[in-house]
């Protein structure tokens, strides 16, 4: 994995020199060439600043070893640079840091005259007070922790941002080298070891740079360490700190820079973790051909035939099959790649790492490698398996976003766990089966929503369909063929039992208009687990109490359909259904409920508002 990160950094030419790193700067303080304060400028949109690729930076050990008040050069917080504090007066420690920052500017002014302008400008207490006053009056208000740097007016109406200049780089490299020369080597740190990343004999760096961007998944705002061995039990052969994962400073900086870049630019947030991914072997992958993006965001097909256009000229049952086929053909990643003339992508390599953090340490939860071609096929299969007829029977539901799928497993998205989301992610990108415990959660949510009168989510039902298809495809169990819409040829007892309950619910609503709680809400839980104990009684209730109240034409069709479904039982339903059979019952119920017969053309449909998923 570390070698793959190294290759990624080298392929896109990431700046990974020790002593430098990208920083998000929110403010610029502008001076003229005489050191007179001109203005403060906000960078970015107020929430996110502007990213500068190569800013001077010291590691935490370097800051500690640099003496009292040791700070970064040229870029630091507003508190250090301007003595801006939330309330009260700056304390002694902050004053030390401010003076150290000014001393660095003074030392570097010999190699860049603009740095002398900044040093002289900040050294004037009245100008420093004016800067703080301007910052305090801004809206939204400047925070002491916001990063700030400097710009100098160039005399032509423009300005030079000092971070972008290269004139100070060599001075900064020499400054860090002198700092390292003064540092004492800790006991237990050997002179030379083989580098884990390059295989070369190197002087191992005592601590690796931090991984940032994991604060939302258990990490610390200041960053977290991937390779660190603090406990004595992990200090093999007397090696301390990062000598147990020996790397040169350059190698450690390289892999951490790559991972930080991926987390910032190419990562997906899941519950409790982030997935950073990339494609090796190609310069770039267009968004419309990126399987991971399509998986997360869902397909956005264009140019599809519309429901209204087809419905106007096509009989109902023919409309269903034609519309489903048209949408299925259009929503294909492989087709999109062919259309974009990017068959070269097929030889690329997909790589993804799942990370989180805990107590300042990075946790690598999963590592994934596969050919782009395989990934594209798995994502195509995921959406194909998920496709389900709409609740109203008018075509196929839109391909759901990944979050809509995982949200169908819980009552509230806040209840999602990294285990569930990770399992579904692997199922989507690897083509693996849905774990039984995830399917059980979806089934429970489907049942509860139905009993409480809420409509089933398309993504929720689609996931039940994925579970059934992949159980059979992987050989875990043998289940009947589950299609996108109702499969009237399937005689599986559990599937047929679900269809019968849906039909009984329709019959009751035709007979008793305006009923709020019907047979479905009352008996679904019992019928889906023990249909043989419930369905016979409900069928008799429909024959005696409901069908006679329906007009003759509709009554005959519904009576005939009920008789046909009842006759499909080659054997009586089991007294107790397994979880897999309860899933088939749910799919049979949903697809029967969504099926539109020619008879229903003149029957008022229930009013439905679109529901996400």
């Amino acid at each position: 994995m570390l070698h793959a990160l190294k290759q990624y950094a080298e392929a896109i030419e990431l700046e990974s020199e020790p002593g430098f790193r990208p920083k998000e700067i929110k403010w610029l303080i502008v001076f003229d060439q005489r050191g007179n304060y001109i203005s403060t400028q906000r960078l970015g949109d107020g929430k996110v600043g502007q990213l500068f690729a190569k800013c001077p930076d010291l590691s935490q050990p370097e800051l500690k070893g640099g003496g009292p008040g040791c700070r970064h050069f040229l870029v630091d917080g507003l508190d250090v640079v301007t003595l801006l504090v939330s309330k009260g007066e700056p304390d002694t420690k902050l004053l030390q840091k401010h003076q150290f920052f000014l001393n660095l500017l003074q030392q570097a002014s010999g190699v860049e005259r603009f740095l002398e302008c900044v040093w002289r400008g900040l050294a004037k207490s009245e100008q420093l007070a004016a800067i703080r006053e301007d910052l305090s009056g801004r809206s939204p208000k400047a925070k002491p922790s916001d990063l700030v740097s400097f710009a100098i007016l160039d005399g032509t109406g423009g300005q030079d941002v000092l971070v972008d200049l290269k004139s100070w780089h060599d001075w900064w490299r020499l400054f860090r080298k002198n700092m390292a020369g003064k540092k004492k080597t800790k006991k237990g740190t050997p002179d030379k070891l083989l580098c884990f990343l390059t295989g070369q004999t190197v002087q191992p760096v005592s601590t690796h740079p931090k991984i940032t961007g994991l604060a939302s998944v258990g990490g610390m705002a200041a960053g977290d360490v991937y390779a660190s061995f603090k406990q004595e039990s992990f200090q093999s052969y007397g090696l301390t700190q990062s000598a147990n994962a020996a790397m040169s400073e350059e190698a450690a900086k390289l892999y951490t820079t790559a991972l930080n870049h991926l987390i910032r630019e190419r990562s997906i947030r899941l519950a409790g973790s982030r997935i950073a991914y990339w494609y090796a072997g190609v310069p770039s992958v267009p968004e419309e051909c990126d399987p991971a993006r399509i998986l997360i965001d869902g397909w956005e097909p264009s140019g599809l035939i519309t429901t209204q256009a087809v419905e106007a000229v096509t009989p109902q049952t023919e409309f269903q099959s034609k519309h489903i086929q048209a949408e299925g053909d259009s929503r294909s990643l492989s087709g999109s790649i062919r259309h974009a003339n990017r068959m070269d992508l097929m030889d690329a390599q997909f790589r993804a790492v799942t990370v989180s953090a805990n107590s300042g340490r990075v946790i690598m939860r999963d590592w994934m490698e596969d050919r782009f071609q395989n990934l594209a096929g798995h994502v195509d299969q995921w959406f194909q398996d998920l496709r389900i007829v709409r609740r109203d029977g008018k075509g196929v539901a839109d391909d759901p976003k990944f979050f809509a799928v995982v949200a169908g497993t819980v009552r509230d998205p806040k209840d999602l766990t990294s285990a569930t989301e990770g399992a579904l992610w692997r199922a989507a990108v690897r083509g693996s089966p849905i774990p039984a415990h995830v399917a059980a959660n979806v089934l429970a949510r489907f049942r509860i929503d139905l009993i409480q009168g809420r409509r089933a989510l398309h993504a929720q039902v689609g996931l039940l369909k994925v579970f059934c298809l992949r159980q059979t495809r992987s050989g875990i169990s043998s289940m009947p063929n589950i299609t996108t819409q109702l499969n009237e040829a399937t005689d599986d007892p559990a599937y047929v039992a679900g269809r019968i309950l849906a039909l009984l619910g329709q019959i009751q609503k035709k007979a008793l208009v305006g009923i709020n709680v019907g047979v479905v809400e009352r008996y679904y839980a019992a019928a889906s687990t023990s249909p043989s104990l419930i369905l016979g009684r409900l069928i008799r209730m429909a024959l005696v109490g409901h069908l006679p109240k329906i007009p003759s034409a509709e009554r005959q069709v519904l009576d005939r359909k009920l008789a046909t479904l009842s006759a499909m039982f080659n054997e009586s339903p089991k007294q107790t259904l397994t979880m897999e059979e309860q899933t088939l019952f749910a799919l049979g119920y949903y697809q029967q409920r969504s099926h539109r017969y020619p008879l229903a053309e003149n029957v008022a449909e229930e009013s439905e508002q679109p529901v996400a998923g």
Side-chain angles (χ1 to χ4, degrees):
M1 181 196 74
L2 294 178
H3 184 66
L5 288 171
K6 173 179 177 291
Q7 288 179 325
Y8 172 74
E10 293 171 341
I12 67 172
E13 299 181 347
L14 281 179
E15 179 56 62
S16 61
E17 182 181 353
F20 300 87
R21 75 175 177 89
K23 292 185 179 181
E24 184 187 298
I25 300 176
K26 291 190 175 182
W27 298 93
L28 281 181
I29 301 176
V30 184
F31 294 94
D32 65 16
Q33 296 188 24
R34 294 182 178 180
N36 297 316
Y37 168 62
I38 303 299
S39 65
T40 56
Q41 297 177 3
R42 184 189 293 277
L43 301 179
D45 60 5
K47 293 183 178 180
V48 179
Q50 181 177 338
L51 190 68
F52 289 81
K54 195 166 186 176
C55 298
D57 183 68
L58 293 175
S59 66
Q60 195 64 29
E62 286 175 324
L63 289 174
K64 289 182 178 180
C70 182
R71 292 307 303 168
H72 303 286
F73 169 62
L74 197 54
V75 180
D76 215 318
L78 283 172
D79 52 353
V80 171
V81 176
T82 70
L83 297 179
L84 178 71
V85 292
S86 300
K87 54 185 175 181
E89 296 295 326
D91 58 22
T92 303
K93 288 185 178 180
L94 183 56
L95 290 172
Q96 284 182 327
K97 293 176 181 178
H98 174 71
Q99 189 58 51
F100 194 99
F101 186 83
L102 291 182
N103 291 342
L104 288 179
L105 291 174
Q106 184 181 15
Q107 293 174 43
S109 61
V111 298
E112 173 53 65
R113 63 187 181 89
F114 286 165
L115 291 172
E116 183 177 1
C117 301
V118 175
W119 166 58
R120 294 191 181 278
L122 291 178
K124 298 175 182 178
S125 58
E126 66 276 9
Q127 289 201 152
L128 208 57
I131 294 171
R132 290 196 297 269
E133 184 177 352
D134 285 352
L135 290 168
S136 299
R138 303 296 290 266
S139 180
K141 207 170 182 180
K143 299 178 181 178
S145 59
D146 289 348
L147 291 186
V148 61
S149 194
F150 309 95
I152 301 294
L153 295 181
D154 62 9
T156 62
Q159 61 186 33
D160 291 312
V161 179
L162 301 193
V163 175
D164 287 336
L165 301 181
K166 296 183 179 179
S167 54
W168 52 266
H169 286 190
D170 285 340
W171 174 87
W172 177 242
R173 294 181 182 108
L174 181 60
F175 177 82
R176 287 190 67 251
K177 184 178 180 181
N178 291 335
M179 286 184 68
K182 297 176 184 178
K183 186 178 179 182
K184 294 181 180 180
T185 303
K186 286 192 174 184
K187 184 180 179 181
T189 302
D191 291 335
K192 298 292 182 179
L193 285 173
L194 291 180
C195 177
F196 270 35
L197 194 53
T198 65
Q200 299 174 350
T201 303
V202 298
Q203 170 65 53
V205 64
S206 60
T207 59
H208 291 198
K210 291 186 177 182
I211 306 300
T212 57
L214 299 178
S216 62
V217 290
M220 302 176 69
D224 308 276
V225 179
Y226 173 51
S228 178
F229 303 85
K230 184 177 180 181
Q231 302 299 325
E232 186 176 348
S233 56
F234 296 111
Q235 296 176 9
S236 304
Y237 303 102
L239 299 177
T240 62
Q241 293 186 299
S242 297
N244 283 271
M247 290 188 199
S248 66
E249 185 180 26
E250 292 75 17
K253 182 69 176 179
L254 191 65
Y255 89 80
T256 54
T257 298
L259 189 52
N260 282 330
H261 180 270
L262 287 167
I263 291 172
R264 185 176 63 249
E265 304 292 340
R266 297 188 64 86
S267 70
I268 299 163
R269 166 76 188 280
L270 297 183
S273 62
R274 278 194 172 276
I275 297 175
Y277 74 95
W278 71 100
Y279 300 100
V282 290
S284 63
V285 175
E287 283 195 357
E288 65 272 14
C289 299
D290 184 347
R293 186 203 67 82
I294 292 170
L295 174 62
I296 294 300
D297 295 340
W299 277 102
E300 297 178 0
S302 59
L304 296 179
I305 52 176
T306 64
T307 299
Q308 293 79 6
V310 178
E311 193 171 12
V313 296
T314 312
Q316 190 59 54
T317 52
E318 186 181 350
F319 154 73
Q320 282 182 304
S321 59
K322 284 190 174 183
H323 192 71
I324 288 170
Q325 182 63 45
E327 288 193 330
D329 291 344
S330 298
R331 291 190 256 191
S332 164
L333 178 55
S334 300
S336 179
I337 292 172
R338 286 193 298 270
H339 179 72
N341 196 27
R342 290 300 306 271
M343 296 304 292
D344 59 303
L345 297 177
M346 292 302 188
D347 292 328
Q349 291 289 321
F350 169 70
R351 290 169 177 168
V353 56
T354 304
V355 296
S356 64
N358 184 23
S359 300
R361 296 179 182 274
V362 176
I363 301 171
M364 300 293 182
R365 296 190 174 275
D366 195 14
W367 169 252
M368 208 175 290
E369 285 188 73
D370 204 351
R371 292 184 62 196
F372 182 98
Q373 184 174 7
N374 295 338
L375 176 66
H378 292 153
V379 172
D380 265 343
Q381 190 67 59
W382 171 258
F383 284 117
Q384 182 178 333
D385 289 350
L386 273 173
R387 281 169 199 156
I388 197 72
V389 64
R390 286 169 51 91
R391 286 180 297 270
D392 58 9
K394 297 180 179 179
V396 181
D398 291 338
D399 287 331
K401 296 181 179 182
F402 185 73
F403 184 77
V405 177
V406 297
T409 65
V410 291
R411 180 185 63 84
D412 190 309
K414 294 179 181 178
D415 299 330
L416 281 171
T417 65
S418 56
T420 296
E421 253 185 319
L424 290 176
W425 169 262
R426 288 189 292 274
V429 300
R430 290 176 172 170
S432 57
I434 305 296
H437 74 273
V438 175
N441 290 341
V442 180
L443 190 63
R445 290 310 319 164
F446 177 86
R447 180 169 58 245
I448 291 170
D449 289 344
L450 199 63
I451 292 172
Q452 295 180 351
R454 293 191 291 267
R455 291 163 295 175
L457 299 176
H458 293 138
Q460 197 176 58
V461 183
L463 193 53
L464 293 177
K465 175 172 170 262
V466 176
F467 172 72
C468 291
L469 291 174
R470 297 193 177 189
Q471 288 289 101
T472 300
R473 199 176 295 151
S474 62
I476 297 175
S477 62
S478 179
M479 304 183 79
N481 182 31
I482 301 299
T483 55
T484 300
Q485 58 183 332
L486 181 66
N487 187 347
E488 297 191 85
T490 297
D491 60 358
D492 180 86
Y495 186 82
V496 173
R499 292 184 61 189
I500 289 176
L501 182 64
L503 185 61
L504 292 173
Q506 291 173 326
I507 290 172
Q508 185 186 44
K509 289 194 174 183
K510 300 287 184 188
L512 307 174
V513 179
I515 188 171
N516 292 323
V517 180
V519 293
V520 173
E521 291 79 7
R522 289 181 183 276
Y523 296 104
Y524 182 89
S528 63
T529 54
S530 303
S532 62
L533 302 178
I534 302 295
L535 289 184
R537 183 173 44 173
L538 296 183
I539 290 173
R540 286 193 296 273
M541 184 191 304
L543 293 173
V544 175
H546 298 154
L547 280 171
K549 298 178 181 179
I550 300 175
S552 177
E554 286 188 77
R555 181 175 68 247
Q556 292 178 14
V557 172
L558 292 171
D559 188 22
R560 187 165 54 249
K561 190 63 190 175
L562 183 58
T564 301
L565 284 177
S566 300
M568 291 181 70
F569 284 124
N570 293 326
E571 56 185 60
S572 299
K574 293 182 181 178
Q575 289 191 355
T576 303
L577 299 186
T578 64
M579 193 274 288
E580 288 84 357
E581 291 167 333
Q582 291 178 44
T583 303
L584 292 172
F585 184 98
L587 287 167
Y589 170 85
Y590 174 85
Q591 292 182 331
Q592 178 66 45
R593 181 68 188 82
S594 304
H595 194 63
R596 304 178 75 199
Y597 294 104
L599 170 70
E601 292 289 325
N602 300 320
V603 178
E605 293 286 331
E606 295 178 346
S607 61
E608 289 193 355
Q609 298 297 323
V611 174

